[in-house]
Amino acid sequence: MSNYIVAIHIVELIAALAGTYYYLKTRDSQMKIFIWYLWLVVFVETVGMYGHVLLNNYDYDWFVWLKNSVFCTNTWLYNIYSFVSILIFGKFYLKIIHQKSSKIIIKVAVVVYVTFAILYYLIKGTFFEKSLPYDVFMETFIVFVFVILYYKQLLASNKILLFYKLPVFYISSSLLLWYLCAAPLFTFDGYFFAVNKGFVQFRHVFMFLINMFLYSCFTFAFLYTIQFKKE
């Protein structure tokens, strides 16, 4: 699966670079936090690769201490990433959405998710061992709410006539599609064992395809719409 991992890293980096280029050319403050999110993805995915190295259980001396610590797997890193991602998405849509009622809904959703995550890990003490139960489904629901609120605002404004010029439209649509595609897959996490080679292979390929789609859409959103910002 190493080729899949490298390919995904490349499209993630390209998306972050495209976003940075877009911002340098347009100074679009609304997109700034999302571009920082893309660089966070690049950082987390790069650092998280140590988990794949340790899975091979090679006896490198400089990894001995890591293997025997709570940081043996990269679960803790992706738990932080999931937590921070929701905070960033909330901040991102708060900058885009102007309706007071929608802003309240976004804030409540973020607060509920953050509170639940903190309490769960404090009570269960599994921060270094496993992710939140039904984490992907909670994230999918939250992103779905954010995007629907954005669509609602878009439909009620004159910007609907110029939706194809807005990077937020492409980003929101691709995020929603990604989560809607990924969530059902995690329903079958109980089958994700080495003995179930067919499912493991299918999951790797499926996640590869939807990740390639997602970050390609982000890149397109920045590079395509930049021409309209220059007008």
Side-chain angles (χ1 to χ4, degrees):
M1 295 301 157
S2 59
N3 291 335
Y4 288 168
I5 294 173
V6 172
I8 291 174
H9 278 315
I10 290 173
V11 294
E12 288 169 349
L13 179 59
I14 291 173
L17 290 171
T20 302
Y21 176 74
Y22 172 89
Y23 178 74
L24 291 175
K25 291 293 184 180
T26 66
R27 298 296 175 180
D28 185 350
S29 60
Q30 286 188 328
M31 301 306 303
K32 188 174 182 179
I33 191 170
F34 188 79
I35 295 166
W36 277 112
Y37 163 74
L38 292 178
W39 283 111
L40 172 66
V41 172
V42 172
F43 173 78
V44 169
E45 293 289 354
T46 301
V47 175
M49 289 182 70
Y50 84 83
H52 295 286
V53 175
L54 292 181
L55 282 176
N56 293 319
N57 204 30
Y58 295 135
D59 292 324
Y60 297 127
D61 291 339
W62 57 87
F63 278 146
V64 170
W65 69 271
L66 190 58
K67 290 181 187 179
N68 297 322
S69 73
V70 293
F71 300 101
C72 180
T73 66
N74 56 19
T75 303
W76 64 274
L77 179 63
Y78 284 95
N79 283 339
I80 294 175
Y81 168 71
S82 296
F83 183 86
V84 174
S85 293
I86 294 300
L87 290 176
I88 292 176
F89 290 159
K91 182 68 174 177
F92 177 56
Y93 282 100
L94 282 174
K95 289 179 70 69
I96 294 167
I97 295 173
H98 308 300
Q99 296 173 335
K100 186 176 180 180
S101 58
S102 295
K103 285 180 175 289
I104 292 174
I105 293 173
I106 293 172
K107 290 177 181 178
V108 170
V110 171
V111 169
V112 169
Y113 178 84
V114 169
T115 302
F116 173 75
I118 293 175
L119 290 177
Y120 178 83
Y121 287 126
L122 286 176
I123 294 172
K124 294 294 185 178
T126 57
F127 178 74
F128 294 96
E129 300 168 10
K130 58 179 69 174
S131 59
L132 287 173
Y134 308 109
D135 186 42
V136 174
F137 296 99
M138 287 189 289
E139 290 181 22
T140 300
F141 177 75
I142 291 172
V143 170
F144 176 81
V145 170
F146 291 174
V147 174
I148 292 300
L149 291 175
Y150 165 69
Y151 284 161
K152 177 185 174 184
Q153 176 175 283
L154 184 62
L155 287 169
S157 69
N158 293 330
K159 288 185 177 180
I160 186 61
L161 301 175
L162 305 172
F163 73 93
Y164 61 93
K165 296 183 178 181
L166 305 173
V168 181
F169 173 79
Y170 298 105
I171 289 170
S172 297
S173 300
S174 55
L175 265 179
L176 181 60
L177 284 172
W178 188 93
Y179 275 102
L180 291 177
C181 289
L185 184 65
F186 285 87
T187 304
F188 302 98
D189 255 8
Y191 298 96
F192 192 68
F193 298 107
V195 68
N196 297 311
K197 293 182 179 179
F199 178 75
V200 171
Q201 177 67 17
F202 170 77
R203 174 168 167 166
H204 280 305
V205 173
F206 186 78
M207 291 303 297
F208 168 75
L209 291 175
I210 63 174
N211 279 325
M212 292 290 286
F213 166 80
L214 178 66
Y215 292 100
S216 296
C217 284
F218 290 163
T219 300
F220 172 82
F222 290 121
L223 298 184
Y224 175 68
T225 60
I226 195 173
Q227 61 183 309
F228 304 114
K229 286 289 184 178
K230 292 180 179 180
E231 292 178 352

